[in-house]
Amino acid sequence: MTQSETRRTPGTPCWVSLMVHGLAATQEFYGALFGWEFSPGPQQLGPYVRALLDGEEVAGIGQLPPDRHLPIAWTTYLATDDADVTAETIRSCGGTVGVGPLDAGEAGRMAIASDPAGAVFGIWQGGEHIGAAVAGAPGTPAWNELITRETSAVAKFYQALFGYDVQAVAPAECDHVTLQLDGRPVASLHGAGNALARDKGAHWMTYFEVADVDEAAVRAVDLGGRLIHQTREEESGRVATVADPEGAVFSLLHARA
């Protein structure tokens, strides 16, 4: 299959990546939680591995230099055809580009940015690597949601980058919208208002599909993680929010059929 046949529509979440201090311990945690195995990835920013599920790439984990004390968080990457042009648009629309654009070997070209509300995200121009090779199965990224104070201004920022259609999610009093490409939702924005945690601020949340949310949440805690939000029923399915041993927060999802 050629690159053109597998090209991701610009603006589609295509990859999630995590930078941590303890790479080996983090691999053990996610390997036990999701059944991931690991293979070496591009080393431009230091030690980095790709998580594999049945031999297919689903996520990335890298190691921070010992002197870098950045927030430990999963980063959502949005596909682009031209990382340099997208980076310029980010700057001109009030965002910040913190890393790159730079080449990740033959894999592709990337940058890490933050939107005007401060939420960090990545952009990925696929080369040999176009992003996650499988979705929907347990242990794979299932959804990406921006949690921010209010959605209207930040939605305009993302629209300027990728031309999304923004659709409100019922009920109307909830500040919750989906970003749509080619008529289908690819991500969502949730305005949390004053409920947005001051210590965390605006952030992208990665949802990983699991077969049993309750069991996976218990296992995450047993492996050294923390339960952030109890299991609950949402429109998308059954959800729990947890943190890994270094504090990276993510959600477990069993999607409605």
Side-chain angles (χ1 to χ4, degrees), residues 130-149:
I130 61 160
V134 60
T140 65
W143 190 247
N144 297 269
E145 180 172 75
L146 173 64
I147 301 171
T148 189
R149 190 166 298 280

mmCIF file with all atom_site columns, all heavy atoms in Angstrom, residues 130-149:
data_model
loop_
_atom_site.group_PDB
_atom_site.id
_atom_site.type_symbol
_atom_site.label_atom_id
_atom_site.label_alt_id
_atom_site.label_comp_id
_atom_site.label_asym_id
_atom_site.label_entity_id
_atom_site.label_seq_id
_atom_site.pdbx_PDB_ins_code
_atom_site.Cartn_x
_atom_site.Cartn_y
_atom_site.Cartn_z
_atom_site.occupancy
_atom_site.B_iso_or_equiv
_atom_site.pdbx_formal_charge
_atom_site.auth_seq_id
_atom_site.auth_comp_id
_atom_site.auth_asym_id
_atom_site.auth_atom_id
_atom_site.pdbx_PDB_model_num
ATOM 1   N N   . ILE A 1 130 ? 2.688   6.613  9.330  1.00 0.00 ? 130 ILE A N   1
ATOM 2   C CA  . ILE A 1 130 ? 1.531   7.514  9.198  1.00 0.00 ? 130 ILE A CA  1
ATOM 3   C C   . ILE A 1 130 ? 0.732   7.627  10.489 1.00 0.00 ? 130 ILE A C   1
ATOM 4   O O   . ILE A 1 130 ? -0.170  8.448  10.587 1.00 0.00 ? 130 ILE A O   1
ATOM 5   C CB  . ILE A 1 130 ? 0.603   7.084  8.055  1.00 0.00 ? 130 ILE A CB  1
ATOM 6   C CG1 . ILE A 1 130 ? 0.042   5.685  8.310  1.00 0.00 ? 130 ILE A CG1 1
ATOM 7   C CG2 . ILE A 1 130 ? 1.315   7.165  6.720  1.00 0.00 ? 130 ILE A CG2 1
ATOM 8   C CD1 . ILE A 1 130 ? -1.204  5.386  7.510  1.00 0.00 ? 130 ILE A CD1 1
ATOM 9   N N   . GLY A 1 131 ? 1.068   6.790  11.483 1.00 0.00 ? 131 GLY A N   1
ATOM 10  C CA  . GLY A 1 131 ? 0.340   6.859  12.743 1.00 0.00 ? 131 GLY A CA  1
ATOM 11  C C   . GLY A 1 131 ? -0.095  5.482  13.193 1.00 0.00 ? 131 GLY A C   1
ATOM 12  O O   . GLY A 1 131 ? 0.439   4.467  12.751 1.00 0.00 ? 131 GLY A O   1
ATOM 13  N N   . ALA A 1 132 ? -1.064  5.466  14.086 1.00 0.00 ? 132 ALA A N   1
ATOM 14  C CA  . ALA A 1 132 ? -1.541  4.201  14.641 1.00 0.00 ? 132 ALA A CA  1
ATOM 15  C C   . ALA A 1 132 ? -2.069  3.303  13.524 1.00 0.00 ? 132 ALA A C   1
ATOM 16  O O   . ALA A 1 132 ? -2.818  3.740  12.654 1.00 0.00 ? 132 ALA A O   1
ATOM 17  C CB  . ALA A 1 132 ? -2.629  4.458  15.678 1.00 0.00 ? 132 ALA A CB  1
ATOM 18  N N   . ALA A 1 133 ? -1.670  2.032  13.586 1.00 0.00 ? 133 ALA A N   1
ATOM 19  C CA  . ALA A 1 133 ? -2.014  1.106  12.507 1.00 0.00 ? 133 ALA A CA  1
ATOM 20  C C   . ALA A 1 133 ? -3.314  0.368  12.763 1.00 0.00 ? 133 ALA A C   1
ATOM 21  O O   . ALA A 1 133 ? -3.827  -0.301 11.864 1.00 0.00 ? 133 ALA A O   1
ATOM 22  C CB  . ALA A 1 133 ? -0.876  0.100  12.318 1.00 0.00 ? 133 ALA A CB  1
ATOM 23  N N   . VAL A 1 134 ? -3.853  0.468  13.963 1.00 0.00 ? 134 VAL A N   1
ATOM 24  C CA  . VAL A 1 134 ? -5.086  -0.245 14.292 1.00 0.00 ? 134 VAL A CA  1
ATOM 25  C C   . VAL A 1 134 ? -5.870  0.592  15.294 1.00 0.00 ? 134 VAL A C   1
ATOM 26  O O   . VAL A 1 134 ? -5.298  1.311  16.113 1.00 0.00 ? 134 VAL A O   1
ATOM 27  C CB  . VAL A 1 134 ? -4.775  -1.656 14.862 1.00 0.00 ? 134 VAL A CB  1
ATOM 28  C CG1 . VAL A 1 134 ? -3.937  -1.559 16.125 1.00 0.00 ? 134 VAL A CG1 1
ATOM 29  C CG2 . VAL A 1 134 ? -6.038  -2.450 15.130 1.00 0.00 ? 134 VAL A CG2 1
ATOM 30  N N   . ALA A 1 135 ? -7.185  0.546  15.215 1.00 0.00 ? 135 ALA A N   1
ATOM 31  C CA  . ALA A 1 135 ? -8.054  1.275  16.139 1.00 0.00 ? 135 ALA A CA  1
ATOM 32  C C   . ALA A 1 135 ? -9.287  0.433  16.420 1.00 0.00 ? 135 ALA A C   1
ATOM 33  O O   . ALA A 1 135 ? -9.702  -0.380 15.586 1.00 0.00 ? 135 ALA A O   1
ATOM 34  C CB  . ALA A 1 135 ? -8.463  2.620  15.550 1.00 0.00 ? 135 ALA A CB  1
ATOM 35  N N   . GLY A 1 136 ? -9.861  0.631  17.595 1.00 0.00 ? 136 GLY A N   1
ATOM 36  C CA  . GLY A 1 136 ? -11.103 -0.057 17.932 1.00 0.00 ? 136 GLY A CA  1
ATOM 37  C C   . GLY A 1 136 ? -10.920 -1.285 18.793 1.00 0.00 ? 136 GLY A C   1
ATOM 38  O O   . GLY A 1 136 ? -11.816 -1.654 19.551 1.00 0.00 ? 136 GLY A O   1
ATOM 39  N N   . ALA A 1 137 ? -9.772  -1.948 18.701 1.00 0.00 ? 137 ALA A N   1
ATOM 40  C CA  . ALA A 1 137 ? -9.522  -3.139 19.497 1.00 0.00 ? 137 ALA A CA  1
ATOM 41  C C   . ALA A 1 137 ? -9.095  -2.736 20.903 1.00 0.00 ? 137 ALA A C   1
ATOM 42  O O   . ALA A 1 137 ? -8.540  -1.657 21.110 1.00 0.00 ? 137 ALA A O   1
ATOM 43  C CB  . ALA A 1 137 ? -8.437  -3.994 18.852 1.00 0.00 ? 137 ALA A CB  1
ATOM 44  N N   . PRO A 1 138 ? -9.340  -3.582 21.904 1.00 0.00 ? 138 PRO A N   1
ATOM 45  C CA  . PRO A 1 138 ? -8.848  -3.280 23.253 1.00 0.00 ? 138 PRO A CA  1
ATOM 46  C C   . PRO A 1 138 ? -7.336  -3.030 23.243 1.00 0.00 ? 138 PRO A C   1
ATOM 47  O O   . PRO A 1 138 ? -6.576  -3.753 22.601 1.00 0.00 ? 138 PRO A O   1
ATOM 48  C CB  . PRO A 1 138 ? -9.198  -4.544 24.038 1.00 0.00 ? 138 PRO A CB  1
ATOM 49  C CG  . PRO A 1 138 ? -10.411 -5.087 23.352 1.00 0.00 ? 138 PRO A CG  1
ATOM 50  C CD  . PRO A 1 138 ? -10.171 -4.809 21.883 1.00 0.00 ? 138 PRO A CD  1
ATOM 51  N N   . GLY A 1 139 ? -6.939  -1.961 23.968 1.00 0.00 ? 139 GLY A N   1
ATOM 52  C CA  . GLY A 1 139 ? -5.529  -1.592 24.009 1.00 0.00 ? 139 GLY A CA  1
ATOM 53  C C   . GLY A 1 139 ? -5.123  -0.576 22.977 1.00 0.00 ? 139 GLY A C   1
ATOM 54  O O   . GLY A 1 139 ? -3.946  -0.226 22.881 1.00 0.00 ? 139 GLY A O   1
ATOM 55  N N   . THR A 1 140 ? -6.080  -0.049 22.216 1.00 0.00 ? 140 THR A N   1
ATOM 56  C CA  . THR A 1 140 ? -5.765  0.958  21.198 1.00 0.00 ? 140 THR A CA  1
ATOM 57  C C   . THR A 1 140 ? -6.419  2.293  21.554 1.00 0.00 ? 140 THR A C   1
ATOM 58  O O   . THR A 1 140 ? -7.458  2.334  22.223 1.00 0.00 ? 140 THR A O   1
ATOM 59  C CB  . THR A 1 140 ? -6.267  0.532  19.804 1.00 0.00 ? 140 THR A CB  1
ATOM 60  O OG1 . THR A 1 140 ? -7.710  0.464  19.815 1.00 0.00 ? 140 THR A OG1 1
ATOM 61  C CG2 . THR A 1 140 ? -5.706  -0.823 19.417 1.00 0.00 ? 140 THR A CG2 1
ATOM 62  N N   . PRO A 1 141 ? -5.823  3.414  21.099 1.00 0.00 ? 141 PRO A N   1
ATOM 63  C CA  . PRO A 1 141 ? -6.483  4.713  21.299 1.00 0.00 ? 141 PRO A CA  1
ATOM 64  C C   . PRO A 1 141 ? -7.826  4.732  20.581 1.00 0.00 ? 141 PRO A C   1
ATOM 65  O O   . PRO A 1 141 ? -7.920  4.396  19.401 1.00 0.00 ? 141 PRO A O   1
ATOM 66  C CB  . PRO A 1 141 ? -5.504  5.705  20.668 1.00 0.00 ? 141 PRO A CB  1
ATOM 67  C CG  . PRO A 1 141 ? -4.190  4.991  20.642 1.00 0.00 ? 141 PRO A CG  1
ATOM 68  C CD  . PRO A 1 141 ? -4.526  3.553  20.422 1.00 0.00 ? 141 PRO A CD  1
ATOM 69  N N   . ALA A 1 142 ? -8.881  5.106  21.320 1.00 0.00 ? 142 ALA A N   1
ATOM 70  C CA  . ALA A 1 142 ? -10.232 5.057  20.765 1.00 0.00 ? 142 ALA A CA  1
ATOM 71  C C   . ALA A 1 142 ? -10.806 6.443  20.488 1.00 0.00 ? 142 ALA A C   1
ATOM 72  O O   . ALA A 1 142 ? -11.668 6.592  19.619 1.00 0.00 ? 142 ALA A O   1
ATOM 73  C CB  . ALA A 1 142 ? -11.155 4.313  21.735 1.00 0.00 ? 142 ALA A CB  1
ATOM 74  N N   . TRP A 1 143 ? -10.332 7.459  21.218 1.00 0.00 ? 143 TRP A N   1
ATOM 75  C CA  . TRP A 1 143 ? -10.927 8.794  21.072 1.00 0.00 ? 143 TRP A CA  1
ATOM 76  C C   . TRP A 1 143 ? -9.984  9.810  21.689 1.00 0.00 ? 143 TRP A C   1
ATOM 77  O O   . TRP A 1 143 ? -9.172  9.486  22.561 1.00 0.00 ? 143 TRP A O   1
ATOM 78  C CB  . TRP A 1 143 ? -12.292 8.851  21.751 1.00 0.00 ? 143 TRP A CB  1
ATOM 79  C CG  . TRP A 1 143 ? -13.087 10.092 21.450 1.00 0.00 ? 143 TRP A CG  1
ATOM 80  C CD1 . TRP A 1 143 ? -13.426 11.095 22.310 1.00 0.00 ? 143 TRP A CD1 1
ATOM 81  C CD2 . TRP A 1 143 ? -13.631 10.481 20.182 1.00 0.00 ? 143 TRP A CD2 1
ATOM 82  N NE1 . TRP A 1 143 ? -14.149 12.068 21.656 1.00 0.00 ? 143 TRP A NE1 1
ATOM 83  C CE2 . TRP A 1 143 ? -14.294 11.719 20.351 1.00 0.00 ? 143 TRP A CE2 1
ATOM 84  C CE3 . TRP A 1 143 ? -13.625 9.892  18.917 1.00 0.00 ? 143 TRP A CE3 1
ATOM 85  C CZ2 . TRP A 1 143 ? -14.941 12.383 19.310 1.00 0.00 ? 143 TRP A CZ2 1
ATOM 86  C CZ3 . TRP A 1 143 ? -14.265 10.550 17.879 1.00 0.00 ? 143 TRP A CZ3 1
ATOM 87  C CH2 . TRP A 1 143 ? -14.916 11.787 18.075 1.00 0.00 ? 143 TRP A CH2 1
ATOM 88  N N   . ASN A 1 144 ? -10.088 11.058 21.222 1.00 0.00 ? 144 ASN A N   1
ATOM 89  C CA  . ASN A 1 144 ? -9.299  12.159 21.758 1.00 0.00 ? 144 ASN A CA  1
ATOM 90  C C   . ASN A 1 144 ? -10.229 13.334 22.017 1.00 0.00 ? 144 ASN A C   1
ATOM 91  O O   . ASN A 1 144 ? -10.998 13.729 21.136 1.00 0.00 ? 144 ASN A O   1
ATOM 92  C CB  . ASN A 1 144 ? -8.214  12.578 20.765 1.00 0.00 ? 144 ASN A CB  1
ATOM 93  C CG  . ASN A 1 144 ? -7.206  11.475 20.502 1.00 0.00 ? 144 ASN A CG  1
ATOM 94  O OD1 . ASN A 1 144 ? -6.188  11.376 21.183 1.00 0.00 ? 144 ASN A OD1 1
ATOM 95  N ND2 . ASN A 1 144 ? -7.489  10.617 19.519 1.00 0.00 ? 144 ASN A ND2 1
ATOM 96  N N   . GLU A 1 145 ? -10.146 13.889 23.233 1.00 0.00 ? 145 GLU A N   1
ATOM 97  C CA  . GLU A 1 145 ? -11.023 14.995 23.611 1.00 0.00 ? 145 GLU A CA  1
ATOM 98  C C   . GLU A 1 145 ? -10.205 16.100 24.269 1.00 0.00 ? 145 GLU A C   1
ATOM 99  O O   . GLU A 1 145 ? -9.391  15.837 25.160 1.00 0.00 ? 145 GLU A O   1
ATOM 100 C CB  . GLU A 1 145 ? -12.105 14.519 24.564 1.00 0.00 ? 145 GLU A CB  1
ATOM 101 C CG  . GLU A 1 145 ? -13.057 15.644 24.995 1.00 0.00 ? 145 GLU A CG  1
ATOM 102 C CD  . GLU A 1 145 ? -14.246 15.143 25.777 1.00 0.00 ? 145 GLU A CD  1
ATOM 103 O OE1 . GLU A 1 145 ? -14.089 14.788 26.962 1.00 0.00 ? 145 GLU A OE1 1
ATOM 104 O OE2 . GLU A 1 145 ? -15.348 15.085 25.189 1.00 0.00 ? 145 GLU A OE2 1
ATOM 105 N N   . LEU A 1 146 ? -10.446 17.321 23.822 1.00 0.00 ? 146 LEU A N   1
ATOM 106 C CA  . LEU A 1 146 ? -9.844  18.486 24.449 1.00 0.00 ? 146 LEU A CA  1
ATOM 107 C C   . LEU A 1 146 ? -10.733 18.945 25.591 1.00 0.00 ? 146 LEU A C   1
ATOM 108 O O   . LEU A 1 146 ? -11.910 19.242 25.391 1.00 0.00 ? 146 LEU A O   1
ATOM 109 C CB  . LEU A 1 146 ? -9.686  19.620 23.432 1.00 0.00 ? 146 LEU A CB  1
ATOM 110 C CG  . LEU A 1 146 ? -9.217  20.963 24.008 1.00 0.00 ? 146 LEU A CG  1
ATOM 111 C CD1 . LEU A 1 146 ? -7.817  20.854 24.580 1.00 0.00 ? 146 LEU A CD1 1
ATOM 112 C CD2 . LEU A 1 146 ? -9.292  22.059 22.957 1.00 0.00 ? 146 LEU A CD2 1
ATOM 113 N N   . ILE A 1 147 ? -10.178 18.999 26.794 1.00 0.00 ? 147 ILE A N   1
ATOM 114 C CA  . ILE A 1 147 ? -10.887 19.511 27.955 1.00 0.00 ? 147 ILE A CA  1
ATOM 115 C C   . ILE A 1 147 ? -10.337 20.909 28.227 1.00 0.00 ? 147 ILE A C   1
ATOM 116 O O   . ILE A 1 147 ? -9.148  21.087 28.484 1.00 0.00 ? 147 ILE A O   1
ATOM 117 C CB  . ILE A 1 147 ? -10.707 18.575 29.164 1.00 0.00 ? 147 ILE A CB  1
ATOM 118 C CG1 . ILE A 1 147 ? -11.238 17.181 28.809 1.00 0.00 ? 147 ILE A CG1 1
ATOM 119 C CG2 . ILE A 1 147 ? -11.435 19.125 30.386 1.00 0.00 ? 147 ILE A CG2 1
ATOM 120 C CD1 . ILE A 1 147 ? -10.920 16.122 29.821 1.00 0.00 ? 147 ILE A CD1 1
ATOM 121 N N   . THR A 1 148 ? -11.210 21.908 28.127 1.00 0.00 ? 148 THR A N   1
ATOM 122 C CA  . THR A 1 148 ? -10.788 23.299 28.198 1.00 0.00 ? 148 THR A CA  1
ATOM 123 C C   . THR A 1 148 ? -11.838 24.087 28.978 1.00 0.00 ? 148 THR A C   1
ATOM 124 O O   . THR A 1 148 ? -12.872 23.527 29.379 1.00 0.00 ? 148 THR A O   1
ATOM 125 C CB  . THR A 1 148 ? -10.567 23.855 26.771 1.00 0.00 ? 148 THR A CB  1
ATOM 126 O OG1 . THR A 1 148 ? -9.946  25.143 26.825 1.00 0.00 ? 148 THR A OG1 1
ATOM 127 C CG2 . THR A 1 148 ? -11.860 23.919 25.984 1.00 0.00 ? 148 THR A CG2 1
ATOM 128 N N   . ARG A 1 149 ? -11.598 25.358 29.218 1.00 0.00 ? 149 ARG A N   1
ATOM 129 C CA  . ARG A 1 149 ? -12.565 26.121 30.024 1.00 0.00 ? 149 ARG A CA  1
ATOM 130 C C   . ARG A 1 149 ? -13.853 26.375 29.243 1.00 0.00 ? 149 ARG A C   1
ATOM 131 O O   . ARG A 1 149 ? -14.953 26.165 29.746 1.00 0.00 ? 149 ARG A O   1
ATOM 132 C CB  . ARG A 1 149 ? -11.950 27.445 30.482 1.00 0.00 ? 149 ARG A CB  1
ATOM 133 C CG  . ARG A 1 149 ? -12.798 28.163 31.523 1.00 0.00 ? 149 ARG A CG  1
ATOM 134 C CD  . ARG A 1 149 ? -12.033 29.273 32.214 1.00 0.00 ? 149 ARG A CD  1
ATOM 135 N NE  . ARG A 1 149 ? -10.880 28.792 32.945 1.00 0.00 ? 149 ARG A NE  1
ATOM 136 C CZ  . ARG A 1 149 ? -10.938 28.224 34.156 1.00 0.00 ? 149 ARG A CZ  1
ATOM 137 N NH1 . ARG A 1 149 ? -12.107 28.065 34.755 1.00 0.00 ? 149 ARG A NH1 1
ATOM 138 N NH2 . ARG A 1 149 ? -9.843  27.823 34.769 1.00 0.00 ? 149 ARG A NH2 1
#
